[in-house]
Amino acid sequence: DYVDGEISEKFKESQRVWIQREGEKIIAIQAICTHLGCTPRWLSLEAKFKCPCHGSGFTKEGINFEAPAPRPLERLKIALNEEGELVIDKSKKFLWEKGEWEDPESFVTV
């Protein structure tokens, strides 16, 4: 269901989560700006997330590069259930600045 190299906005409105697939790795990115909590927009032509509230910009990976966001977007715990469906646990976050994006629970491989 998830195309390699693309951002899925399937759950952006209902769960405030984007799903991203890069090769065999799938991650869940929380769709909440780290500045004041607005929901950024995915701009596919520019390959970046852009917050409509104060202009923060994030790379496709979620790294902040346009102020005022003080840090990258957060990734969420993601797993596959027995039926092969993605299960996201929003109570467990992985922070880039703490080196947690390579934690085995921050992605699934397919």
Side-chain angles (χ1 to χ4, degrees), residues 69-87:
R71 57 191 185 79
L73 296 171
E74 297 170 344
R75 295 188 182 179
L76 303 170
K77 181 179 178 181
I78 187 169
L80 290 174
N81 67 15
E82 292 176 6
E83 291 79 36
E85 299 168 322
L86 293 176
V87 177

Side-chain angles (χ1 to χ4, degrees), residues 85-98:
E85 299 168 322
L86 293 176
V87 177
I88 297 164
D89 179 354
K90 293 195 291 186
S91 71
K92 177 64 175 162
K93 299 175 182 179
F94 299 93
L95 307 180
W96 176 83
E97 59 270 27
K98 290 185 175 182

Side-chain angles (χ1 to χ4, degrees), residues 42-49 58-60:
W42 168 243
L43 305 176
S44 59
L45 294 177
E46 298 176 46
K48 70 178 181 178
F49 298 100
F58 303 88
T59 65
K60 185 177 184 181

Side-chain angles (χ1 to χ4, degrees), residues 1-49:
D1 291 346
Y2 302 100
V3 178
D4 187 19
E6 292 189 12
I7 302 291
S8 171
E9 296 194 284
K10 182 176 181 178
F11 302 107
K12 178 185 158 195
E13 296 301 319
S14 65
Q15 299 295 320
R16 291 185 84 180
V17 173
W18 291 292
I19 304 295
Q20 178 184 14
R21 180 174 181 174
E22 289 295 332
E24 303 212 350
K25 186 183 279 190
I26 296 177
I27 62 168
I29 302 171
Q30 190 161 40
I32 298 177
C33 181
T34 57
H35 177 232
L36 291 177
C38 295
T39 303
R41 295 183 181 123
W42 168 243
L43 305 176
S44 59
L45 294 177
E46 298 176 46
K48 70 178 181 178
F49 298 100

